[in-house]
Amino acid sequence: CRESLVVELLCISGDEYVQVVLKKSESSKFIMCTLSKQHAVLQQPVQLMLSPGENVTFELKASKGTVNLTGYY
């Protein structure tokens, strides 16, 4: 039995500014958060539950950068 994946925290590392976009399909996208070192927004708590078999993609809107996702099953 597979359980849901829960994403609880998004953290920026290495870039000055990044938007994290959750994409469920080509027509279903939304901005989850904007992280910015300049404005001291280095992390964002979220409560995102993904069901087994649910396909999603996380996209970054920035020139480069890394965002770490933290959560649990």
Side-chain angles (χ1 to χ4, degrees):
C1 176
R2 289 176 44 194
E3 297 182 30
S4 297
L5 172 65
V6 178
V7 179
E8 291 190 312
L9 187 67
L10 305 172
C11 302
I12 192 173
S13 81
D15 206 351
E16 294 298 317
Y17 170 89
V18 64
Q19 285 185 326
V20 181
V21 177
L22 177 67
K23 177 179 168 183
K24 290 192 172 193
S25 69
E26 282 302 318
S27 61
S28 176
K29 295 182 184 182
F30 67 92
I31 297 172
M32 291 186 65
C33 67
T34 299
L35 303 172
S36 170
K37 285 187 176 180
Q38 178 183 6
H39 295 99
V41 182
L42 304 178
Q43 60 188 18
Q44 177 65 46
V46 296
Q47 189 67 29
L48 176 64
M49 185 176 293
L50 303 173
S51 301
E54 185 175 4
N55 292 318
V56 298
T57 303
F58 294 94
E59 295 180 348
L60 301 181
K61 299 293 183 180
S63 56
K64 61 180 181 175
T66 301
V67 172
N68 298 306
L69 304 170
T70 302
Y72 61 91
Y73 281 102

